[in-house]
Amino acid sequence: MARTHRAKEPPPRRPARWGLALVLLLAAGCTARPEVRVGAAMSLYDVLPGILSEAEDAVEVTFAGSSTLVRQVAAGAPIDVLVTADRDSLRPVADRFEVLCVAATNRLVRIEPQDGGTAGPLALAAPHVPAGRYARRVLPAAALGEVVTFDHVRGVLAAVARGDASAGVVYATDADIAKGVDIAYVFPKDTHDPIVYPLLLLRGEHDAAAARALFEAFLTPDAARAFRRRGFRVVAEATER
Amino acid sequence: MSAFTLSAAEWDVLRLSVKVALGATLLILPLGVFMGYLLARREFRGRTIVEILITLPLVMPPVATGLILLLLLGRESIVGGWLERAFGIRFVFNTKGAVVAAAVVSFPLLVKAAQLAFSGVDPRLEGAARTLGAGRGRTFFAVSLPLAWPGVAAGLVLAFARCLGEFGATIVFAGNVAGRTRILPLAMYNAYQSPDGMGEATRLLVLSVLIASAALVAGTWLDRRGKKKLGRMDAS
């Protein structure tokens, strides 16, 4: 009897120990959290490792279609430095950045599967994604036919490389690194607005010094080399605010 | 456009969604009912494996189901490649693909419901039919299926509703093609992603609530009708 009675009593001290363990765990989690966060357009997927190689541990990178990133930032996502693939998609965050600087430029190409054309549809990024907007400007609406859309330009690339789509429109830099696709046509520069990658230092509750250091890492000669190695053209025109 | 008027493109989405869901439900009807009956009535070798294979799409992430379909039926797969060369059938980025994706994810719902319904049928009634000279087929269609119908019908309604909610397997396997594979959830997702698409997303949202409610009402009605019929059979 006495034993069962004792067993029913809550064991003293243990909850306190668990609580301490939890606090320690949370504290450890906090110190391990990245200091700065980058949101980058999907087409920069292969460039960023070259730029961030030194600071990589302290930086968390999110890749997505530019419109997705902008929507996330507008909704309060903790991103410090944002690189998108056009200026148009920046409208929702127009009042949220401290500095804007065009980091690089790109070209638009039409790609086809390497093993020859198929009967599939044309693959494009969705109209709300920069790559999709550029593509719809260079292609007359009548020539579009059946279109399969993707949330970002790398989805287009994958569909054409698999041969499921008969052709697609992507950036030259995407086509260069992809296996299984051929560049069928390079759209002349005057057929579309210049494809620029604005780099934004966002206002927020971040570690301002670390964020600015990261922002400036994109503008170093090393970064320029990383961009060029992947086929981008580098320009630098800053707009301080 | 007023807030409650559907555009032509939204009507197309609605038509396509109902077409895909109906097509998939009809496609799984014969095999689903048969498998439900088989699992309720027969012991056979490999039964567990069959049950697991049927249930998998219910518990797997739909995106994984889509990926499996892509590997099995994509243009570069053995089966998919053969189907295209021999019959010109393509699934990827095609309405057929959307129907197949919806059929695979909703199949377990129908089988489970049918299995439960057939388990509830008194085997002595089937035995009586057999002793009165009815063959297996006639016993099934004249005794087992009518008695199990309310449960089977409920399974069909569930499967239809699941088809209308399909997203993951469809976007991976069939893609996002306007007029071909862009069913309600995909269209809603597209609209929500567009900077000015909240109005369209909301209209599509209202649509899917209406369709889901209609499917549930139809299910309840079928169920009641079936039970009434069973009641009459008990009385006579």
Side-chain angles (χ1 to χ4, degrees):
Chain A
M1 280 298 279
R3 272 173 82 182
T4 50
H5 179 72
R6 221 171 43 214
K8 271 183 186 170
E9 276 176 22
R13 298 190 65 85
R14 259 179 92 191
R17 242 183 284 165
W18 277 110
L20 184 67
L22 193 68
V23 166
L24 285 174
L25 198 72
L26 285 174
C30 287
T31 55
R33 263 169 65 181
E35 289 170 52
V36 264
R37 291 185 172 82
V38 181
M42 207 65 195
S43 45
L44 296 173
Y45 192 84
D46 298 282
V47 181
L48 254 63
I51 296 172
L52 304 173
S53 52
E54 287 147 41
E56 222 161 350
D57 286 344
V59 180
E60 189 181 277
V61 190
T62 307
F63 291 103
S66 298
S67 58
T68 308
L69 290 170
V70 168
R71 191 156 30 80
Q72 284 170 350
V73 170
I79 288 178
D80 306 309
V81 175
L82 179 70
V83 206
T84 59
D86 75 346
R87 287 171 193 268
D88 287 4
S89 50
L90 294 176
R91 254 182 302 138
V93 292
D95 55 346
R96 294 204 184 208
F97 62 86
E98 287 172 21
V99 195
L100 183 150
C101 172
V102 173
T105 67
N106 212 336
R107 295 291 297 271
L108 206 62
V109 298
R110 191 184 129 96
I111 52 169
E112 282 171 8
Q114 216 154 46
D115 57 3
T118 58
L122 176 69
L124 297 179
H128 55 84
V129 184
R133 243 193 321 265
Y134 290 125
R136 281 167 182 79
R137 270 178 214 151
V138 296
L139 298 170
L144 284 182
E146 202 168 80
V147 173
V148 57
T149 58
F150 295 87
D151 288 347
H152 51 71
V153 71
R154 291 293 162 102
V156 176
L157 201 61
V160 177
R162 281 202 314 268
D164 286 328
S166 59
V169 176
V170 297
Y171 300 121
T173 52
D174 296 305
D176 283 343
I177 54 114
K179 291 193 184 79
V181 303
D182 284 332
I183 296 178
Y185 184 66
V186 181
F187 292 98
K189 269 184 195 159
D190 55 5
T191 55
H192 56 82
D193 295 337
I195 300 169
V196 295
Y197 288 80
L199 172 71
L200 280 75
L201 178 61
L202 294 169
R203 288 203 190 91
E205 298 160 22
H206 53 236
D207 177 346
R212 185 167 274 272
L214 183 72
F215 178 81
E216 275 158 11
F218 277 88
L219 305 171
T220 59
D222 280 351
R225 264 193 295 280
F227 271 120
R228 277 197 208 96
R229 240 195 333 268
R230 295 295 177 181
F232 291 84
R233 288 202 54 210
V234 178
V235 291
E237 33 166 291
T239 320
E240 282 280 346
R241 280 210 166 182
Chain B
M1 189 176 19
S2 100
F4 296 104
T5 321
L6 295 184
S7 69
E10 288 159 16
W11 275 114
D12 285 346
V13 167
L14 176 63
R15 259 194 300 273
L16 180 73
S17 303
V18 173
K19 191 173 126 186
V20 168
L22 269 181
T25 313
L26 289 176
L27 186 70
I28 61 173
L29 173 62
L31 189 63
V33 170
F34 174 73
M35 287 312 297
Y37 180 74
L38 202 69
L39 291 171
R41 280 288 183 260
R42 297 269 188 280
E43 286 300 327
F44 52 90
R45 275 178 65 121
R47 193 193 138 99
T48 315
I49 293 173
V50 170
E51 274 200 282
I52 287 175
L53 282 179
I54 287 174
T55 319
L56 262 182
L58 194 66
V59 288
M60 260 190 333
V63 170
T65 307
L67 214 50
I68 291 176
L69 286 173
L70 195 62
L71 293 174
L72 286 179
L73 297 173
R75 243 186 94 247
E76 289 178 348
S77 70
I78 298 172
V79 182
W82 176 74
L83 280 173
E84 181 170 356
R85 279 192 306 277
F87 305 104
I89 298 178
R90 285 187 74 150
F91 294 104
V92 179
F93 302 155
N94 204 303
T95 307
K96 288 190 203 81
V99 171
V100 168
V104 170
V105 294
S106 57
F107 188 63
L109 290 168
L110 176 60
V111 175
K112 293 280 154 192
Q115 183 182 352
L116 204 67
F118 283 118
S119 304
V121 174
D122 190 342
R124 287 175 302 179
L125 292 174
E126 290 163 345
R130 297 299 300 280
T131 60
L132 292 171
R136 272 193 188 169
R138 194 164 167 207
T139 306
F140 177 79
F141 284 109
V143 179
S144 317
L145 188 57
L147 287 172
W149 177 247
V152 173
L156 282 173
V157 171
L158 263 182
F160 180 77
R162 176 67 186 86
C163 290
L164 285 175
E166 221 323 279
F167 182 85
T170 307
I171 202 162
V172 172
F173 180 52
N176 194 346
V177 188
R180 295 234 172 205
T181 71
R182 191 175 296 160
I183 51 178
L184 261 171
L186 273 71
M188 229 183 298
Y189 177 67
N190 263 25
Y192 139 82
Q193 285 200 313
S194 313
D196 312 311
M198 220 45 199
E200 187 187 348
T202 314
R203 282 193 295 276
L204 295 171
L205 165 70
V206 171
L207 260 191
S208 41
V209 171
L210 287 178
I211 298 176
S213 310
L216 286 177
V217 169
T220 317
W221 179 74
L222 275 174
D223 189 44
R224 278 214 199 111
R225 215 181 70 140
K227 281 196 180 118
K228 233 182 260 170
K229 210 163 99 189
L230 285 185
R232 273 206 305 277
M233 279 162 76
D234 280 349
S236 58

